[in-house]
Amino acid sequence: MGETETADGTGGTGAIGSAGDAGRAEGPVPVPAPSHRDASLRRLAVRGGRALAGLAIGALTALAGLLAAVPAGLALLTVLALPGARRAVLRPLTAVGARVARAELRRLETFCGIVPPAGYSPADALRYTLYRIPLGLLGGMVLALMATGLFWFLVGLLGWFVILVDYPLEAIGTGLLGAFLLVLTAQGVYGTVLLEAGLVRRVLGPGPHAALRRRIDELATSRSEVVDAVDEERRRIERDLHDGVQQQLVALGILLGRARRSTDPERAGRLLRQAQEENRRALAELREVAWRVHPAVLDEAGLSVALESVAERSPLPVDLGYDDGGRPPARRAATVLYFVVSEAVTNVVKHADATRIRVRVHRAGSGNGNDGGGGGTFGLLVEDDGRGGADPAGGGLTGLARRVAALDGRFAVHSPPGGPTTITAELPCA
């Protein structure tokens, strides 16, 4: 019997968190705690400071790029009519452009949180290096205006409170002008970061046709993997029925036949008791196979109750946490989450030599649907304290990865030798 932190049966919100309960509470909207506001302000200040640093570095690199681009452009212009010489000049320029583009993408990822694209050609990298020069200089101008606004704001502030003011209206006007420039340039910093992200996406990201081809390839691969996963599941059910239930039913028939032919009432009674026990084991095996196919409780009571059943049937203690934020997952996502948890727990019991299992299912992000749709994702974590060394390329884990990939989800296994083993999955809610 597993030790479970079970759901309370109201809205599918279980042991972890109670966001859904807070959302259903009546009365005025609760005001965030001061510590939460402080944390949000700190995060905003850190993000703003990092963006300022990123734009400052980008302005310097853009200035350096401008100084380097002028002679390079002149050299290219002189050999423009000569194909061989043009290629000889373009080759080193393209190599330098690729290095500069990589450095710029690292800067944007580090300071501005812009995720770089997966792949791009050297020619695109050179174009991006050239195109971003005016954008980098624009960022430098925004920072210069911000510094100017800060200067005039401080002049007005100090003039009013520190220095003896002969012209108070001028001091107030100077401070207000500085504050206006600060607000305006703060918006400019945000807009420049968006322009940087747009330039990366436009020049280095895949075009509409390339993105469509990539999506078609992903769907074709996903469909093939789903077919393989379903076929593997069918073969496993057939093995379970053939090697388990069928053999037990054969043994049951033999016991009943021997009991019927026996002339000794005591021996016949003993054989009937054995047959009854065999019948009980066959029914248990049949219920186990039915659970692996698709548990009825998943449709009748939802994912939280189905996971509780998995925890209760496990011979190892299972620490289960479930929080769907009051919005249960759609049927397909719930089915995949259930099978990942069920198979992962089964694998731990059979192979991991563990003493406990921890399962966490939670909803992240926003969503506005009540039918299991909406935005956001469902995160899943299954962790054990076993010996580790699980092979992600093994048949069982590969099948789980295929199920998750079929819904555009992500699946990962971390299992170093000696443990622990951690399985994570993320599924889109919609």
Side-chain angles (χ1 to χ4, degrees):
M1 180 70 71
E3 296 175 358
T4 61
E5 298 176 12
T6 58
D8 55 10
T10 58
T13 301
I16 299 177
S18 56
D21 296 339
R24 292 190 295 273
E26 296 181 354
V29 177
V31 178
S35 59
H36 293 170
R37 290 201 302 269
D38 294 343
S40 300
L41 291 176
R42 280 197 299 272
R43 284 196 295 270
L44 184 62
V46 169
R47 290 178 58 186
R50 295 172 71 91
L52 290 176
L55 290 188
I57 297 173
L60 294 177
T61 58
L63 185 60
L66 179 63
L67 296 178
V70 172
L74 292 176
L76 184 62
L77 189 62
T78 57
V79 297
L80 197 59
L82 305 173
R86 187 175 67 243
R87 285 194 294 271
V89 174
L90 273 177
R91 194 173 301 114
L93 289 180
T94 303
V96 172
R99 293 181 180 179
V100 173
R102 284 196 296 270
E104 290 295 334
L105 292 177
R106 281 198 295 271
R107 173 183 67 83
L108 293 176
E109 185 178 16
T110 303
F111 294 100
C112 303
I114 299 173
V115 179
Y120 48 85
S121 66
D124 289 339
L126 180 59
R127 286 197 301 129
Y128 169 75
T129 302
L130 295 176
Y131 291 170
R132 72 152 306 272
I133 289 177
L135 193 54
L137 296 177
L138 174 64
M141 293 174 61
V142 171
L143 294 180
L145 283 176
M146 177 174 281
T148 303
L150 180 63
F151 172 77
W152 287 116
F153 177 75
L154 292 177
V155 167
L157 192 67
L158 295 176
W160 183 259
F161 288 103
V162 179
I163 306 173
L164 182 61
V165 177
D166 294 330
Y167 305 99
L169 292 180
E170 285 77 357
I172 293 174
T174 301
L176 290 177
L177 178 61
F180 176 73
L181 274 178
L182 282 177
V183 173
L184 196 64
T185 50
Q187 297 293 324
V189 169
Y190 179 71
T192 306
V193 171
L194 290 182
L195 288 176
E196 292 263 23
L199 182 64
V200 170
R201 189 168 53 250
R202 182 64 180 260
V203 179
L204 300 180
H209 295 288
L212 183 60
R213 283 197 300 271
R214 179 182 301 177
R215 183 58 179 160
I216 291 174
D217 293 340
E218 290 176 353
L219 291 175
T221 303
S222 175
R223 185 187 62 176
S224 175
E225 291 179 347
V226 167
V227 171
D228 292 342
V230 171
D231 190 55
E232 176 64 27
E233 188 74 15
R234 180 184 58 79
R235 287 198 297 268
R236 194 186 65 166
I237 294 172
E238 290 176 353
R239 286 197 302 270
D240 291 342
L241 292 175
H242 182 270
D243 300 337
V245 179
Q246 180 176 332
Q247 299 302 320
Q248 288 166 342
L249 290 177
V250 170
L252 174 63
I254 294 174
L255 289 172
L256 290 176
R258 292 172 61 187
R260 186 173 59 85
R261 291 191 300 271
S262 177
T263 57
D264 183 359
E266 184 178 352
R267 183 170 181 270
R270 189 170 59 252
L271 290 173
L272 287 176
R273 285 193 296 274
Q274 292 179 8
Q276 187 179 21
E277 180 64 22
E278 199 66 32
N279 179 61
R280 187 190 61 79
R281 285 198 292 266
L283 287 176
E285 182 70 19
L286 196 57
R287 280 196 296 268
E288 188 70 21
V289 173
W291 266 89
R292 292 177 186 172
V293 175
H294 189 86
V297 69
L298 186 60
D299 293 332
E300 297 171 354
L303 178 61
S304 62
V305 178
L307 294 181
E308 289 172 18
S309 300
V310 172
E312 291 172 356
R313 291 164 54 236
S314 170
L316 294 178
V318 177
D319 177 11
L320 173 63
Y322 179 85
D323 179 11
D324 60 11
R327 299 187 301 275
R331 181 178 178 179
R332 292 183 303 170
T335 302
V336 172
L337 289 170
Y338 167 79
F339 274 105
V340 172
V341 173
S342 179
E343 289 299 314
V345 170
T346 302
N347 289 339
V348 171
V349 172
K350 288 183 177 178
H351 309 296
D353 194 19
T355 60
R356 63 173 181 81
I357 306 172
R358 189 165 71 99
V359 177
R360 292 290 183 268
V361 178
H362 70 280
R363 185 170 190 140
S366 60
N368 53 9
N370 296 322
D371 56 351
T377 59
F378 264 97
L380 166 66
L381 180 144
V382 180
E383 185 181 59
D384 66 74
D385 61 347
R387 59 190 177 192
D391 182 11
L397 293 177
T398 303
L400 297 182
R402 287 171 175 170
R403 284 181 177 273
V404 174
L407 295 186
D408 290 335
R410 291 184 292 182
F411 181 84
V413 178
H414 181 68
S415 181
T421 296
T422 304
I423 295 176
T424 57
E426 187 176 284
L427 289 173
C429 296

